[in-house]
Amino acid sequence: MLETAPFSRLLRKALLTYLLIGTAALVSYGLYGWQREERDAHDNLLTLSRFLASASQAFFDELGNGLAPLGELLDQPALREHPEILRPYLLTFQNRHPQVRAVVVFAPDGEMLLNTAVPPGKPLPDFRLDPPYIKQLLLDMSSPLPYTVGPPEIGKAIKVWRFSVRHVVRGRDGKPRLLVQAAIPLEKKGTFLHQLPVPSGSFIGLLRTDGYQQARFPVADANATYGQLSPGPVARMIKANPAITAGYFSASSPWVTGEKQRIGAFTRLTGMDLYAYVSVPASTIVDRWWRHSAPILISFLVFFGICVVIAYRVTRRERMHSSELFEQTQRDALTGLPNRGCLNSVLAANIAASSAGTTPFSILFIDLDRFKGINDTLGHAVGDALLIKVAERIQPLLRRGDVLGRFGGDEFLLVLPGSDESGAILTTRRIFDAFSIPFEVNGRALRITPSLGIALYPRHGEDIETLLKHADTAMYESKRLGRNAYTVYAEQMGSRVRERLEMEHELRDALQNEAFQIVYQPIVSMRSGEVVAVEALVRWVMPDGRLRSPVEFIQVAEDSGLIIPLGQWVLRTACIQMTRWVSLGLDFRVAVNLSTHQFQDPHLKENVMITLQETGLDAARLELEVTESAAMLNPEDSITILGELSALGIRIAIDDFGTGYSSLGYLKRIPADTIKIDKTFVDGLGHPQDATIVRAVIALARALEKDTVAEGIETEAQFDAIQAMGCDSAQGYWISRPVEAAAMTHLLSKGARLVAASKTLSKGGATWIHAHDKASK
């Protein structure tokens, strides 16, 4: 037995020493954390301002340069004699650019000839009677620039604040023949700025070098914002130093009532007298500092509390020893949740109660997706800490009487007494909402998703073994459907589980016999039409010669771990083929996809280096594609491994961009050379929101000095639209379907271009498709 008094004195001394050392450490940590958050905030704001400048420049270029062909169409005698005949040209242009409220045509003397905001038959306003307006109009007529961007003013026809983009059509003598004007409204939700993906709480805008606002979002009072000199800090800094191109600022905001201190950054648009700026509340730094520092402070307080509790418990240890031993047999040692034995008792009690009162209950089988990858790459200590965090995240969602237990490994079981199918689904949705937030584990932000299977008593089983088996089967069905999903058990699932096991067995045989084939889909430059890369895509060759799409078997390969040897075979085969192409004098690179399991493999870098060494392929000829969601599972480690691969000379591409969770802060740090725009956004180009996202991604990539590739181009219209937005490269069925290596060699050795460089020759895409179809036969 310990003596109480001496032990108490030792404990008080230890606590005092801990408090002194801990307080000093906390102060140092807090100062360091503040400086780090302040530095990161400045870097992020400057990157955002560059993105905004690039996106705005792209918007002006697309609109201004788009007015040129419209002007050429309008330059005909009918414009003077019967201008209304040409109105459809203006309306077509306006429909293609939803941010435009009106399109206007002026004669060289300032006479208005046509205005889409004025209905046919109505008299047109004569701005020649407005001296300030006609002065600016004639000034723009004499501008040598491809287009001009006018200051904000209240439109005479559309009656709201707007600015104009103007293009002058000139004759061979250089004199103006007509001027085409597009009016961009500056309403609260009409400006192009409100569609850009920036953090909530941001103020963004464009400021003219003369100190007037060009555009801003949000705007509480347009009359107080436009038409008068800006009182903000950016205007003052530009006036003091007209040559400045970028910078930071910190000041109170005069635009929003009650708004306190804000911080921001600005960047000048290339070749234009405009600055893009963005600001956020200064409290953002405080919030981020507290969010990152609070766990340390709380841990300190918790540890202090634990020390006090330990001192109290020492005096009771002997009396509680036997009860603790019993508790340990019923609890999971890691999470403190009921263990498998305890869960069996809970299930037996619920079955007995439900049988007596005919009350149903439900169970949820929860499995963590790709948990093994985290364990293998980050270590079991991180995996254990993540399991504890998962238990802590789920427990607050439960009702009184619900029981959450750890079934084993990364599997949890949730028992919901008195809950029918709708109640189980409601709980499931709450769990998914909780998992949408990353888990903070040892300073890392880890994203993980659950797959859930639901079984109901007595519908899906009247004993423990049957219920658990059916819940487990439903969980595997969720994984088959793509993970991060829930499934209620149904009878036909049993046969699908058997089919999955049979496919896994067939996959193992196919790997042993190398019953796979690589096909290659070209990636072409949207400027020259030349092939810049080919993407290696795997197909499973069946005994009857039929090719099986990876959509049918990749999920099984992922779940079984066979994706690692399969991915290594694809990498090696693609590198060997690329070496052959290089020996023929062909100049492009090969892109190979990395699965999530491959990317988390601790031997990835070593395997890639060995493959390059054995095949003799130059690292610069290889591009590795990683999906955005895979890279964001563990962002810090992703940045490290991608940096190591990039240091070898290998190009890095972020695939399916826009479908994951990447933040701007991580994106600018990832050493990627290429951003691939996901096919879902390309398919949605007809919708203004998707088109805005694509335009913003291209602008973002340009600001971060990265190339862009648009995936899934299936029509000429999609190609033309993406090309007009400034995308670098494209791939898709309209350009070429994936073809075998021999067919690709045959066509590329002739120096064929897949897509013509100009609009007038764009039928090259169809010609190529026809050619390679014949070659593949």
Side-chain angles (χ1 to χ4, degrees):
M1 290 289 292
L2 292 171
E3 296 181 10
T4 304
F7 178 77
S8 299
R9 285 196 297 270
L10 288 172
L11 183 60
R12 283 196 298 269
K13 185 176 180 180
L15 286 175
L16 179 60
T17 303
Y18 168 76
L19 285 172
L20 291 174
I21 297 174
T23 301
L26 280 176
V27 171
S28 299
Y29 178 81
L31 289 174
Y32 166 77
W34 180 265
Q35 293 169 353
R36 180 190 61 200
E37 297 299 344
E38 198 172 43
R39 183 176 62 251
D40 287 350
H42 282 176
D43 290 347
N44 286 337
L45 285 168
L46 186 58
T47 301
L48 278 172
S49 70
R50 289 172 179 164
F51 161 58
L52 178 58
S54 181
S56 301
Q57 182 79 56
F59 171 77
F60 290 135
D61 286 346
E62 181 183 356
L63 190 59
N65 295 332
L67 288 172
L70 176 62
E72 296 297 332
L73 286 172
L74 297 172
D75 187 16
Q76 50 182 287
L79 182 63
R80 283 284 190 174
E81 301 166 3
H82 305 289
E84 283 299 329
I85 296 177
L86 303 177
R87 180 181 287 266
Y89 291 123
L90 275 64
L91 293 175
T92 300
F93 179 87
Q94 191 170 330
N95 290 334
R96 288 178 179 172
H97 299 82
Q99 299 91 346
V100 175
R101 179 67 63 84
V103 184
V104 190
V105 185
F106 291 95
D109 62 353
E111 178 188 0
M112 183 182 294
L113 303 176
L114 197 57
N115 189 333
T116 60
V118 178
K122 296 287 185 179
L124 296 170
D126 191 349
F127 292 149
R128 291 174 294 184
L129 305 178
D130 186 340
Y133 191 95
I134 197 65
K135 179 181 178 181
Q136 182 64 47
L137 186 72
L138 296 177
L139 188 65
D140 291 340
M141 285 270 193
S142 63
S143 173
L145 298 174
Y147 64 87
T148 58
V149 179
E153 56 189 355
I154 297 179
K156 303 294 190 298
I158 63 178
K159 307 300 182 185
V160 296
W161 280 95
R162 57 97 173 132
F163 67 85
S164 59
V165 178
R166 292 168 172 167
H167 170 76
V168 179
V169 177
R170 302 183 183 278
R172 294 184 178 180
D173 57 1
K175 294 181 180 180
R177 293 181 59 81
L178 61 96
L179 180 146
V180 189
Q181 169 182 300
I184 315 300
L186 292 169
E187 299 168 341
K188 185 174 183 181
K189 289 192 176 179
T191 172
F192 68 98
L193 293 177
H194 92 278
Q195 297 177 325
L196 296 178
V198 295
S200 60
S202 301
F203 292 165
I204 61 175
L206 299 174
L207 186 70
R208 302 174 66 88
T209 53
D210 58 10
Y212 288 86
Q213 294 280 348
Q214 180 70 33
R216 191 171 182 278
F217 182 80
V219 174
D221 183 356
N223 293 324
T225 302
Y226 303 116
Q228 53 184 301
L229 286 172
S230 168
V234 180
R236 295 196 297 270
M237 294 174 72
I238 295 172
K239 184 176 181 181
N241 183 8
I244 192 170
T245 59
Y248 304 101
F249 62 88
S250 175
S252 59
S253 172
W255 298 294
V256 179
T257 304
E259 183 61 42
K260 297 182 180 179
Q261 196 80 357
R262 297 181 70 85
I263 56 174
F266 60 91
T267 299
R268 183 162 186 162
L269 274 67
T270 305
M272 300 186 73
D273 293 333
L274 291 172
Y275 286 83
Y277 64 85
V278 58
S279 73
V280 296
S283 59
T284 301
I285 297 179
V286 179
D287 294 340
R288 286 174 58 87
W289 176 84
W290 174 248
R291 188 163 62 251
H292 292 155
S293 301
I296 302 298
L297 177 60
I298 293 171
S299 298
F300 173 77
L301 296 174
V302 168
F303 186 77
F304 176 77
I306 290 173
C307 290
V308 174
V309 171
I310 288 173
Y312 169 73
R313 286 186 173 180
V314 164
T315 62
R316 304 179 59 203
R317 179 169 307 193
E318 292 298 326
R319 287 180 296 175
M320 298 180 64
H321 183 64
S322 60
S323 61
E324 287 177 357
L325 286 176
F326 176 76
E327 180 72 12
Q328 289 172 10
T329 65
Q330 299 293 303
R331 294 282 171 178
D332 173 56
L334 177 65
T335 62
L337 296 175
N339 59 21
R340 188 165 187 163
C342 183
L343 286 169
N344 281 333
S345 300
V346 171
L347 286 171
N350 275 272
I351 289 174
S354 296
S355 299
T358 65
T359 304
F361 72 92
S362 56
I363 63 172
L364 273 61
F365 204 97
I366 305 170
D367 183 89
L368 303 183
D369 299 328
R370 300 188 175 97
F371 178 78
K372 184 178 182 298
I374 292 176
N375 245 358
D376 292 344
T377 55
L378 304 181
H380 289 281
V382 173
D384 288 348
L386 178 58
L387 291 173
I388 294 171
K389 293 284 186 181
V390 167
E392 293 172 348
R393 184 77 61 87
I394 295 176
Q395 280 189 304
L397 310 176
L398 308 182
R399 309 165 302 168
R400 179 177 296 180
D402 293 346
V403 178
L404 173 67
R406 184 182 176 203
F407 204 67
D410 61 334
E411 297 173 336
F412 295 82
L413 188 71
L414 182 54
V415 183
L416 304 174
S419 180
D420 57 10
E421 180 175 336
S422 60
I425 292 174
L426 182 62
T427 300
T428 298
R429 288 173 177 164
R430 288 202 295 264
I431 291 173
F432 282 125
D433 289 342
F435 271 73
S436 66
I437 303 170
F439 292 87
E440 291 287 339
V441 179
N442 297 349
R444 289 182 168 91
L446 300 180
R447 288 189 178 274
I448 196 163
T449 56
S451 292
L452 288 88
I454 300 174
L456 309 171
Y457 177 89
R459 192 202 309 179
H460 301 142
E462 298 184 359
D463 58 77
I464 295 174
E465 183 180 355
T466 305
L467 274 176
L468 290 176
K469 182 178 71 173
H470 289 167
D472 183 62
T473 299
M475 181 272 293
Y476 273 106
E477 179 71 6
S478 298
K479 286 187 176 293
R480 188 187 71 84
L481 296 174
R483 298 186 176 90
N484 195 25
Y486 73 87
T487 306
V488 180
Y489 176 77
E491 286 296 330
Q492 62 268 30
M493 290 179 189
S495 60
R496 279 204 289 267
V497 170
R498 289 191 296 273
E499 290 171 4
R500 179 190 173 281
L501 292 173
E502 290 172 2
M503 180 179 287
E504 182 179 332
H505 178 74
E506 292 171 0
L507 264 177
R508 292 184 188 276
D509 289 343
L511 269 172
Q512 189 173 0
N513 299 323
E514 294 191 358
F516 293 96
Q517 176 183 321
I518 304 295
V519 292
Y520 300 89
Q521 185 172 40
I523 301 171
V524 301
S525 166
M526 301 195 86
R527 298 182 184 89
S528 66
E530 295 178 343
V531 175
V532 294
V534 293
E535 182 175 356
L537 303 169
V538 66
R539 298 290 187 266
W540 183 358
V541 182
M542 304 307 293
D544 60 1
R546 180 174 57 90
L547 296 183
R548 202 164 188 175
S549 167
V551 175
E552 301 178 41
F553 63 86
I554 284 296
Q555 187 64 61
V556 175
E558 286 265 10
D559 293 340
S560 62
L562 295 174
I563 194 69
I564 298 293
L566 176 59
Q568 184 61 28
W569 181 87
V570 171
L571 176 63
R572 182 179 180 82
T573 305
C575 288
I576 291 173
Q577 180 59 51
M578 189 67 237
T579 305
R580 293 170 182 161
W581 280 326
V582 172
S583 68
L584 294 174
L586 299 177
D587 184 19
F588 54 88
R589 63 184 181 273
V590 65
V592 179
N593 290 279
L594 291 180
S595 71
T596 302
H597 273 62
Q598 279 181 283
F599 189 56
Q600 293 176 337
D601 184 1
H603 305 295
L604 173 62
K605 178 185 174 184
E606 178 186 356
N607 290 337
V608 172
M609 291 176 64
I610 292 173
T611 301
L612 290 175
Q613 183 179 4
E614 292 180 349
T615 60
L617 182 65
D618 181 5
R621 296 282 187 176
L622 176 62
E623 182 172 72
L624 295 178
E625 295 188 4
V626 182
T627 63
E628 182 188 11
S629 56
M632 286 302 105
L633 282 174
N634 188 356
E636 292 297 339
D637 284 358
S638 296
I639 290 170
T640 300
I641 184 60
L642 290 176
E644 292 174 351
L645 292 170
S646 180
L648 297 175
I650 298 168
R651 287 179 62 90
I652 304 298
I654 302 300
D655 200 8
D656 298 341
F657 185 79
T659 62
Y661 305 93
S662 58
S663 68
L664 186 61
Y666 280 119
L667 185 61
K668 70 178 183 181
R669 293 171 56 201
I670 288 180
D673 304 281
T674 304
I675 290 176
K676 302 192 75 172
I677 303 168
D678 188 62
K679 182 181 185 298
T680 55
F681 299 120
V682 175
D683 290 341
L685 282 176
H687 303 288
Q689 186 174 10
D690 283 340
T692 299
I693 291 174
V694 172
R695 193 179 291 111
V697 169
I698 294 172
L700 176 61
R702 188 179 300 153
L704 296 176
E705 299 181 343
K706 302 181 189 299
D707 296 333
T708 47
V709 176
E711 298 182 287
I713 301 290
E714 295 187 352
T715 66
E716 184 176 0
Q718 289 176 341
F719 184 93
D720 292 343
I722 290 286
Q723 187 182 49
M725 293 178 185
C727 187
D728 299 304
S729 306
Q731 71 180 113
Y733 278 18
W734 183 76
I735 299 166
S736 169
R737 291 177 176 271
V739 297
E740 297 177 10
M744 183 69 69
T745 304
H746 176 70
L747 287 158
L748 292 184
S749 61
K750 296 181 177 181
R753 292 190 180 187
L754 306 199
V755 180
S758 68
K759 173 69 178 174
T760 57
L761 298 177
S762 62
K763 292 181 180 178
T767 303
W768 164 253
I769 291 171
H770 178 65
H772 88 64
D773 279 348
K774 290 171 67 177
S776 64
K777 293 176 182 177

